[in-house]
Amino acid sequence: PMHELTLADGILRMVEASATRERFTEVAALRLEAGALACVDVGALRFALEAIRHGTCLASARIEIDEVPGRAWCAPCEAEVHITSRAEPCPQCGGYPLRVLGGDRLRVVDLLVPEQEART
């Protein structure tokens, strides 16, 4: 899907900006975190990253995408709960409203640069 290709392009641009700023040319591993509420198809994002990484600093990088659950606060039962959609009720009491606390973002968690480049 186009959405994931746009996200992959943004991630690549962010990594390349870091490469320019930090003076490295190769990434050994890229770790991303995709929240369940972030509206990201992880398989499609991985495919998009694989498709656009050739000839870039991500060309030989190991790409890891951790999927994290959505977290929300349920006012009626005063508890933090895990959710997979903003539209669903509290899994404990069936109540509303739920206030999202996390799992609603796509973010770069870690960028590992090969040792020899990190020293130069």
Side-chain angles (χ1 to χ4, degrees), residues 4-69:
E4 282 73 12
L5 186 56
T6 302
L7 292 173
D9 186 59
I11 291 165
L12 177 59
R13 287 173 192 260
M14 186 185 321
V15 171
E16 287 186 323
S18 292
T20 300
R21 190 174 56 249
E22 306 293 329
R23 296 187 176 92
F24 60 86
T25 58
E26 187 182 348
V27 174
L30 169 67
R31 195 165 123 231
L32 306 172
E33 185 178 270
L37 307 177
C39 301
V40 174
D41 179 327
V42 172
L45 177 61
R46 181 179 299 283
F47 181 82
L49 284 166
E50 295 286 343
I52 67 170
R53 72 190 193 148
H54 303 289
T56 73
C57 60
L58 289 179
S60 60
R62 184 177 71 250
I63 296 174
E64 301 170 15
I65 305 175
D66 300 329
E67 294 182 66
V68 298

Side-chain angles (χ1 to χ4, degrees), residues 40-115:
V40 174
D41 179 327
V42 172
L45 177 61
R46 181 179 299 283
F47 181 82
L49 284 166
E50 295 286 343
I52 67 170
R53 72 190 193 148
H54 303 289
T56 73
C57 60
L58 289 179
S60 60
R62 184 177 71 250
I63 296 174
E64 301 170 15
I65 305 175
D66 300 329
E67 294 182 66
V68 298
R71 294 185 358 255
W73 175 257
C74 174
C77 69
E78 298 183 345
E80 186 176 316
V81 295
H82 290 273
I83 57 174
T84 56
S85 161
R86 291 173 187 269
E88 73 185 48
C90 173
Q92 289 188 66
C93 74
Y96 290 99
L98 297 178
R99 184 170 44 94
V100 172
L101 300 175
D104 58 342
R105 295 188 198 155
L106 172 65
R107 64 188 193 101
V108 174
V109 177
D110 206 13
L111 199 58
L112 183 66
V113 177
E115 190 101 6

